[in-house]
């Protein structure tokens, strides 16, 4: 991963916290479920969101011949987190419900936000790395195949100490620079978290409602 | 006066005598004898325990064997931490050999990363090296290297080849003539008592006035509880590779000479033994 022109896309920790604050405020307004968690010992923290996805396992036999990934993508649907127990139970009989937990942490080494996530079935069984790779959105499968070990791997969460999957920061710069037009300094007024998360989130099944695009940051130094 | 290069060799060739015992609840067809091995401090458990696995699998039925994992006194051992770090953190003031329990069932999903192949270890190792270089050189040195150089770092570690490893690693230890050290020091501080697995922050090896920052400066800045108050007694030990370096040691020197092969200084803060 290249840091050339890193002045362009890096984010200071203070600014990271400010943008996260703005982000959570908007999330609360639209009920999108994000919250900020502060660590007790050092005062740093991270964004966190949990949601459920339904995966339909009943693939008609003739479709099974084609690549699993495309079929799974078309059958993937987001469900509201407010599914009550009976609704979840009803879904379970023919489908798989997967609980995703997403965390956004700050990497001081790369000076960018990093997306951590974990996923498990309702019985608690965690998804394997292979299952995660298979569930990466069809658009990104080529990129993933080129370098799976550089893209999504299992790592230790730096604050909780538990295994999570991580979207590598190196790839972040690639994804973000493809989306931002012109040098970052022209985009300073935008919220980095919204821009970054709306770009990398979909790679791992996380999307942001369009209303985030309306968020206008306060004019900071 | 010992040459600085000797320190590199001493670090590389450090070994910990270890006794591996199969967990008593594992189902075996015959009694499982313990297995003794000298573990390289600088390597990773899953990289150097193929013989351990083979030894215990011989007395077990195929269906009873799934992913191997290790535990010390009830604590699952994180294979992605270097062996020397695990020992210093959990067992440094106990009698040798280090007694590790081997498991083949009930993998602790909430505590340990999976390690299904050597590829996983290589990916982890290279990710650490890249992160270290992001801190030291804004990734310029690691990115200028070819894929075969990256491979050589990994092969050097895997095959315990000091010269092969350092032929490439020395480039990661250089810095521009006009600077007096790296941009930031790659380090992690570990304490077994905290929920947070380690502390890692940006820390410059050179002060604005040009003086070299010391290990003591680093600890004061990042983990002040590790340093005793002037008049108080020192309740903790600051350990790297099984020794307590003097707090006056320049952190730049420590980074160049006592980093692990992943280019990080892994520092343990452990309770000082009271006897």
């Amino acid at each position: 991963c290249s840091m050339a022109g890193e002045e362009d896309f890096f984010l200071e920790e203070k600014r990271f916290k400010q943008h996260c604050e703005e982000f959570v405020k908007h999330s609360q307004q639209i009920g999108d479920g994000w919250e900020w968690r502060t660590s007790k010992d050092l005062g740093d923290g991270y964004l966190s969101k949990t949601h459920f996805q339904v995966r339909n396992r009943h693939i008609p036999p003739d479709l099974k011949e084609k690549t699993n990934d495309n079929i799974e993508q078309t059958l993937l649907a987001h469900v509201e987190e407010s599914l009550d127990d009976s609704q979840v139970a009803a879904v379970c009989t023919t489908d798989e419900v997967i609980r995703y937990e997403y965390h956004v942490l700050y990497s001081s080494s790369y000076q960018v936000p990093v997306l951590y996530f974990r996923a498990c079935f309702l019985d608690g069984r965690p998804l394997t790395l292979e299952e995660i790779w298979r569930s990466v959105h069809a658009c990104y499968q080529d990129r993933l195949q080129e370098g799976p070990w550089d893209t999504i791997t299992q790592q230790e969460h730096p604050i909780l100490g538990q295994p999570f999957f991580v979207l590598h920061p190196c790839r972040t710069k690639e994804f973000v620079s493809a989306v931002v037009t012109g040098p970052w300094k022209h985009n300073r007024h935008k919220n980095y978290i919204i821009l970054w998360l709306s770009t990398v989130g979909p790679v791992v099944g996380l999307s942001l409602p369009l209303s985030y695009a309306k968020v206008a940051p306060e004019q900071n130094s | 006066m010992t040459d600085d290069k000797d320190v590199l060799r001493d670090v590389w060739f450090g070994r910990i005598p270890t006794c591996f015992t199969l967990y008593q609840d594992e189902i075996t067809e015959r009694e499982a004898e313990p297995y003794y091995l000298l573990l390289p401090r600088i390597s990773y458990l899953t990289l150097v325990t193929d013989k351990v696995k083979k030894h215990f699998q011989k007395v077990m039925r195929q269906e009873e064997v799934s992913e191997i994992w290790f535990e010390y006194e009830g604590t699952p051992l994180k294979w992605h931490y270097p062996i020397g770090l695990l020992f210093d953190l959990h067992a440094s003031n106990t009698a040798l050999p280090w007694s590790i329990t081997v498991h083949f069932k009930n993998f602790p999903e909430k505590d340990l990363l999976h390690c299904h192949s050597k590829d996983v270890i290589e990916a982890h190792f290279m990710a650490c090296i890249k992160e270290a270089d992001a801190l030291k050189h804004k990734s310029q040195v690691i990115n200028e290297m070819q894929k075969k150089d990256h491979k050589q770092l990994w092969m050097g570690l895997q095959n315990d080849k000091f010269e092969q490893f350092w032929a490439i690693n020395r480039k990661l230890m250089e810095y521009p003539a006009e600077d007096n050290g790296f941009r930031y020091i790659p380090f992690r501080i570990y304490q077994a008592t905290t929920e947070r697995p380690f502390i890692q922050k940006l820390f410059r090896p050179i002060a604005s006035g040009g003086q070299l920052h010391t290990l003591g400066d680093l600890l004061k800045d990042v983990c002040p509880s590790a340093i005793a108050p002037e008049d108080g007694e020192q309740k903790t030990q600051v350990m790297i590779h099984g020794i307590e370096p003097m707090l006056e040691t320049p952190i730049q020197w420590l980074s160049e000479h006592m980093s692990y092969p992943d280019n990080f200084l892994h520092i343990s803060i452990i309770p000082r033994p009271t006897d």
Side-chain angles (χ1 to χ4, degrees):
Chain A
C1 42
S2 170
M3 295 282 277
E6 88 172 299
E7 321 305 328
D8 293 352
F9 298 112
F10 84 102
L11 181 71
E12 295 139 9
E13 185 158 13
K14 213 172 52 160
R15 209 175 269 277
F16 166 77
K17 286 186 172 163
Q18 284 168 352
H19 288 196
C20 285
E21 221 178 88
E22 242 164 42
F23 182 87
V24 169
K25 236 195 307 206
H26 185 79
S27 170
Q28 285 165 346
Q29 282 166 6
I30 65 170
D32 195 33
W34 285 94
E35 60 180 30
W36 175 261
R37 295 198 184 153
T38 310
S39 78
K40 294 167 237 148
D41 55 352
L42 294 185
D44 54 357
Y46 55 93
L47 289 172
S48 166
K49 173 175 174 168
T50 302
H51 77 191
F52 294 85
Q53 284 186 23
V54 178
R55 214 161 62 168
N56 189 325
R57 290 310 256 169
H58 284 242
I59 302 164
D62 53 304
L63 287 182
K64 258 199 188 118
E65 305 313 311
K66 304 196 181 138
T67 22
N68 291 323
D69 318 83
N70 287 329
I71 305 305
E72 284 185 27
Q73 300 318 317
T74 52
L75 294 176
L76 258 177
H78 289 258
V79 297
E80 299 298 293
E81 196 179 325
S82 55
L83 268 188
D84 65 44
D85 289 346
S86 63
Q87 288 175 299
V88 171
V91 163
C92 279
T93 49
T94 51
D95 304 299
E96 279 175 340
V97 177
I98 301 171
R99 179 183 181 275
Y100 281 84
E101 195 178 341
Y102 298 95
H103 291 187
V104 175
L105 276 80
Y106 180 73
S107 162
S108 53
S109 305
Y110 291 104
Q111 302 198 279
V112 288
V114 184
L115 184 59
Y116 287 75
F117 63 100
R118 58 183 171 187
C120 58
F121 297 98
L122 289 185
D123 62 2
R125 176 171 88 76
L127 268 69
T128 65
L129 181 60
E130 286 70 27
E131 283 168 322
I132 293 290
W133 281 350
R134 275 203 300 272
S135 69
V136 164
H137 198 284
C139 309
Y140 302 97
Q141 277 293 336
D142 286 343
R143 215 19 113 41
L144 179 69
Q145 304 298 342
E146 265 174 47
W149 296 111
D150 287 334
T151 311
I152 297 176
T153 54
Q154 203 187 26
Q155 281 181 33
E156 180 179 46
H157 191 288
I159 297 178
L160 300 179
Q162 293 169 21
F164 271 71
F165 294 106
V166 185
L167 184 58
H168 282 216
C170 314
R171 292 285 170 161
T172 291
K173 291 235 167 73
E174 255 180 74
F175 291 130
V176 172
S177 60
V179 162
V180 173
T181 48
W184 177 241
K185 54 179 186 280
H186 293 168
N187 294 286
R188 277 243 153 82
H189 58 283
K190 303 208 178 101
N191 184 300
Y192 193 109
I193 300 297
I194 292 173
L195 200 142
W196 164 78
L197 197 53
S198 59
T199 313
V200 305
V203 179
V204 295
L206 175 67
S207 58
L208 292 186
L210 283 175
S211 73
Y212 278 100
K214 294 192 310 234
V215 173
E218 286 140 37
Q219 295 304 317
N220 313 337
S221 52
Chain B
M1 179 71 179
T2 318
D3 197 35
D4 279 357
K5 288 217 172 63
D6 292 342
V7 175
L8 301 181
R9 281 189 175 273
D10 287 344
V11 165
W12 183 271
F13 290 108
R15 295 286 186 267
I16 297 170
T18 309
C19 171
F20 290 92
T21 309
L22 186 65
Y23 183 55
Q24 61 202 24
D25 288 1
E26 299 284 338
I27 300 176
T28 59
E29 299 183 331
R30 315 187 275 292
E31 171 123 20
E33 297 280 314
Y35 190 87
Y36 291 84
L37 194 57
L38 282 173
L39 296 179
R41 274 181 162 275
I42 50 131
S43 191
Y44 301 95
L45 278 172
T46 44
L47 191 54
V48 298
T49 50
D50 283 345
K51 291 198 173 127
V52 177
K53 196 161 76 161
K54 281 201 182 76
H55 168 82
F56 290 115
Q57 282 177 345
K58 280 205 295 253
V59 303
M60 296 174 69
R61 283 196 302 230
Q62 246 321 97
E63 55 270 27
E64 299 295 335
V65 172
S66 88
E67 188 175 350
I68 195 173
W69 58 279
F70 305 96
E71 162 248 307
Y72 174 70
E73 295 198 338
T75 304
L77 293 175
K78 298 179 182 183
W79 66 262
H80 69 285
Y81 286 5
I83 291 167
L85 167 63
L86 290 170
F87 180 78
D88 289 345
L89 195 56
H90 297 298
S92 58
N93 290 310
T94 64
L96 295 173
W98 188 19
S99 294
I100 293 182
T101 307
V102 180
H103 293 257
F104 288 99
K105 289 208 302 276
N106 299 318
F107 190 87
E109 302 279 354
K110 290 221 152 43
D111 300 298
L112 299 182
L113 305 183
H114 281 286
C115 189
H116 293 303
S117 71
K118 301 278 187 288
D119 289 344
V120 180
I121 314 174
E122 182 180 1
H124 166 68
F125 175 67
M126 291 312 301
C128 291
I129 290 191
K130 287 181 181 166
E131 184 178 350
D133 204 57
L135 288 165
K136 291 198 273 188
H137 303 117
K138 295 195 202 179
S139 303
Q140 277 158 15
V141 178
I142 195 73
N143 285 343
E144 264 161 24
M145 286 184 184
Q146 299 175 330
K147 263 207 152 53
K148 69 175 172 74
D149 294 334
H150 294 178
K151 252 319 181 188
Q152 191 167 329
L153 290 169
W154 167 245
M155 297 306 289
L157 176 72
Q158 190 179 22
N159 299 324
D160 194 23
K161 295 270 188 277
F162 176 84
E163 301 290 352
Q164 185 185 33
F165 177 80
W166 273 98
I168 307 298
N169 200 54
R170 63 176 184 81
K171 297 187 223 170
L172 294 170
M173 292 301 179
E174 289 167 353
Y175 45 87
E178 59 270 23
D179 303 333
N180 280 319
F182 304 135
R183 184 173 192 232
Y184 297 110
I185 298 291
F187 73 89
R188 289 189 177 150
I189 297 177
Y190 303 80
Q191 285 173 275
T193 51
T194 58
E195 177 187 69
R196 180 186 297 261
F198 54 79
I199 298 172
Q200 181 181 341
K201 289 202 177 137
L202 295 178
F203 187 81
R204 291 195 189 275
I206 319 285
S208 45
Q211 322 91 294
L212 294 169
H213 278 140
T214 64
L215 176 59
D217 292 333
L218 173 71
L219 293 168
K220 245 187 293 213
D221 191 47
V222 160
C223 190
S225 53
I227 310 244
E230 295 286 311
D231 49 345
E233 49 165 292
Q234 180 72 296
K235 291 220 169 76
T236 57
Q237 287 179 302
V238 178
M239 190 163 289
I240 312 178
H241 292 295
I243 63 161
E244 287 186 79
M246 288 169 54
L247 296 181
E248 293 82 4
T249 316
I251 196 77
Q252 175 66 30
W253 187 92
L254 282 172
S255 183
E256 288 175 48
H257 296 87
M258 292 192 69
S259 290
Y260 281 75
D262 64 2
N263 279 231
F264 269 83
L265 273 172
H266 296 287
I267 303 168
S268 301
I269 310 290
I270 52 176
R272 184 173 292 278
T274 44
D275 55 51

